[in-house]
Amino acid sequence: MAEETFHFTSSKLRSLRLQQEWLEWEDRRRAAALQSRNRRCPPSSRARLTRPRHSCRDPAVHSALFSGNLQQVQALFQDEDTANMIVETVSNQLAWSAEQGREHQTGAEEEEEGRGFWVLTPKTKQTVPLTITAARGYTDCARHLIQQGAELDACVGGRTALHEACAQAQSDCVRLLLTFGAKANVLSEEGTTPLHLCTAPESLQGAKLLLEAGAIVNFVARDSEMTPLHVVAARGLEEHVALYLEHGADVSLRTSQGETALNAACAEAEGPGSGRQHQAAARQLLEAGADARAAGRKHHTPLHNACANGCGALAELLLRHGACVNVPNAAGHTPMDCALQAVQDDPNCKPEVLFAALLDYGAQPVHPEMLKHCANFPRALEVLLNAYPCVPSCDTWVEAVLPELWQEHEAFYSSALGMVNQPRQLQHLARLAVRAQLGSHCRQATARLPLPPLLRDYLLLRVEGRIQ
């Protein structure tokens, strides 16, 4: 009769089972407490029971949470115990496995030969329902879980729900969690706050909500010692940088490797598009008082990093704010050396802009042997050759030019080759004399001189397509 009268779904049965386990745990807790009182033990030695967390690998539970099905979530999570269960997921990940049968070899030999293969290895991850729903922006589901007693700051799997909501730029869930009392400065297992995880342009609103809730803008991560400002500067998030500076972010703080936020911005500025974003972030930092000469890891200054990434406009920005153009890094390389290497790494960059900026701010002409690095960039090669009073004799750059490129730019290459060890025109020598007199202020001073535009461009090593 009961079977005909009541229909128990699988979710209802699961809920009843969890409730029964909870009651059993409660009975054990009360019995232990009673036994402790009977023995008249001091409070420090009384038996303590930790509230158990149930683990769940049920696909139905996973499906409800990861799809944001509110009706299923409401049916499955009806009390505090279920709302705080541990959800386990297993995924296959590629892992490198050394070749078997090599147990008699030393680690150095194995590393040298590098033999092995990639294998799919199952990896179990743990989290809680609130973290899953908050990370995916399922606000209604997250609200239901909170109302059922989900712990707001539970750090299962390394991060709390607020961390994941910030990392995924789910500003509505960030607002929900903070409204119900989530801690704005809660730490992950890595020692980072939610503000450290606002790393996407869409996370700006979440960052504002965190700061309004009392997030510490200069909080230093435990191991890396990075601040939120370091994080957003490295990603070229100009609006985030401005927001943090408005809330008192300190531009002089350094990471465990000695990097300032400006170092981080310049180090990650790779490619033309990325360079523009990081240039805007760097400008914000410089206007806030960041030191353009601050050396970080391996004594790389922001200018070293900008040049290594081939970012001419960013390098010019740093030079205008006092960056030193001839300072060496730990390896003895100047920014010009880094710029020459960048030409090889990024064939799509426009190195002539970068070389001209460095020379206008006082960089020394490169050693003739280094001209080979830009032999296949005729515009850049012209700028470098015009820094000499006489085209130096050097066969290495001539031999490095690709035949098809020589044919395409034959007029330039032939003019350069014909002027090797030959007297240059008087106007070129006069140009070098004026540039030497202006020194590292060449670009700023030339802009102030009452000169015709053509003459001003000539002084600043305008590319003409031939060497005279």
Side-chain angles (χ1 to χ4, degrees):
M1 180 65 69
E3 185 174 346
E4 296 176 358
T5 305
F6 301 101
H7 176 68
F8 291 96
T9 63
S10 59
S11 61
K12 187 60 178 178
L13 290 171
R14 188 180 302 109
S15 179
L16 289 172
R17 185 180 69 249
L18 292 174
Q19 279 187 331
Q20 180 63 32
E21 292 176 357
W22 166 258
L23 291 173
E24 292 175 357
W25 173 84
E26 185 68 15
D27 290 340
R28 292 196 302 272
R29 185 190 66 79
R30 290 177 179 175
L34 179 60
Q35 184 180 16
S36 178
R37 286 195 298 270
N38 291 339
R39 291 179 179 177
R40 298 181 180 179
C41 295
S44 59
S45 62
R46 287 178 184 171
R48 294 172 181 167
L49 290 179
T50 302
R51 176 179 176 170
R53 285 182 181 270
H54 300 285
S55 297
C56 175
R57 295 186 180 182
D58 193 325
V61 175
H62 292 184
S63 176
L65 292 171
F66 285 99
S67 65
N69 190 317
L70 180 58
Q71 291 182 343
Q72 291 183 7
V73 169
Q74 290 173 335
L76 290 169
F77 302 94
Q78 298 182 355
D79 53 37
E80 186 176 354
D81 193 37
T82 54
N84 288 291
M85 70 168 57
I86 294 177
V87 179
E88 290 189 352
T89 59
V90 180
S91 60
N92 289 325
Q93 297 185 359
L94 283 174
W96 181 257
S97 175
E99 186 176 338
Q100 296 181 356
R102 297 163 55 81
E103 60 274 6
H104 298 297
Q105 286 189 303
T106 65
E109 291 172 337
E110 290 183 358
E111 184 177 354
E112 180 179 356
E113 295 186 20
R115 295 179 181 177
F117 51 89
W118 291 97
V119 294
L120 283 174
T121 303
K123 184 175 182 180
T124 301
K125 294 182 179 179
Q126 292 186 335
T127 184
V128 289
L130 184 58
T131 299
I132 295 173
T133 54
R136 286 157 180 76
Y138 301 145
T139 310
D140 292 336
C141 294
R143 182 181 291 105
H144 172 76
L145 291 167
I146 294 172
Q147 291 171 344
Q148 299 307 309
E151 296 179 15
L152 293 168
D153 299 318
C155 190
V156 177
R159 294 178 178 177
T160 68
L162 188 56
H163 282 99
E164 291 295 347
C166 292
Q168 302 303 322
Q170 303 293 352
S171 58
D172 288 340
C173 284
V174 172
R175 181 182 290 105
L176 175 71
L177 292 165
L178 292 172
T179 300
F180 275 94
K183 297 177 182 177
N185 294 302
V186 63
L187 293 182
S188 68
E189 288 184 356
E190 297 176 344
T192 58
T193 66
L195 197 59
H196 283 93
L197 299 182
C198 292
T199 58
E202 299 79 14
S203 67
L204 181 63
Q205 182 59 34
K208 291 179 179 178
L209 292 169
L210 287 169
L211 290 169
E212 291 171 1
I216 301 175
V217 73
N218 288 316
F219 197 99
V220 176
R222 184 173 57 237
D223 296 326
S224 65
E225 298 183 20
M226 294 182 70
T227 67
L229 185 63
H230 284 96
V231 176
V232 295
R235 286 162 176 76
L237 300 179
E238 178 188 8
E239 292 183 294
H240 286 68
V241 170
L243 175 66
Y244 295 173
L245 291 174
E246 290 174 4
H247 283 78
D250 188 346
V251 296
S252 66
L253 293 179
R254 293 175 179 261
T255 67
S256 58
Q257 295 185 333
E259 299 278 288
T260 66
L262 182 61
N263 289 116
C266 297
E268 298 299 324
E270 299 179 359
S274 175
R276 286 190 292 271
Q277 298 170 7
H278 289 78
Q279 181 183 345
R283 182 180 291 107
Q284 294 269 1
L285 296 168
L286 289 165
E287 291 174 354
D291 185 3
R293 299 189 178 195
R297 186 174 63 90
K298 297 182 179 179
H299 291 178
H300 276 264
T301 66
L303 184 59
H304 280 97
N305 291 326
C307 291
N309 289 323
C311 298
L314 178 56
E316 185 177 350
L317 173 68
L318 294 167
L319 290 165
R320 287 202 305 268
H321 284 81
C324 186
V325 73
N326 288 313
V327 64
N329 60 15
H333 298 153
T334 65
M336 179 65 84
D337 296 327
C338 294
L340 287 168
Q341 183 60 46
V343 175
Q344 303 296 309
D345 297 337
D346 185 7
N348 296 319
C349 70
K350 295 181 179 180
E352 66 272 11
V353 176
L354 181 54
F355 292 153
L358 292 172
L359 291 169
D360 287 346
Y361 280 88
Q364 298 299 315
V366 303
H367 190 280
E369 287 291 336
M370 302 299 290
L371 294 173
K372 62 184 178 182
H373 292 295
C374 56
N376 291 305
F377 297 84
R379 295 174 63 86
L381 182 61
E382 179 181 343
V383 169
L384 294 179
L385 290 177
N386 279 332
Y388 299 101
C390 177
V391 176
S393 176
C394 184
D395 295 333
T396 54
W397 75 260
V398 177
E399 297 172 354
V401 180
L402 297 173
E404 60 271 21
L405 200 64
W406 186 287
Q407 185 177 1
E408 182 181 355
H409 300 277
E410 183 176 1
F412 165 74
Y413 285 117
S414 297
S415 67
L417 189 60
M419 291 300 296
V420 170
N421 292 330
Q422 298 297 315
R424 297 291 299 270
Q425 290 184 346
L426 181 60
Q427 65 179 15
H428 172 69
L429 299 179
R431 170 169 63 179
L432 292 184
V434 173
R435 288 177 60 87
Q437 183 67 30
L438 297 177
S440 61
H441 303 287
C442 183
R443 184 160 294 197
Q444 304 99 309
T446 302
R448 298 176 182 176
L449 292 174
L451 299 173
L454 287 177
L455 183 55
R456 182 182 298 110
D457 291 343
Y458 182 75
L459 277 174
L460 296 178
L461 305 179
R462 178 191 66 230
V463 175
E464 298 178 324
R466 61 187 302 109
I467 297 294
Q468 301 183 55

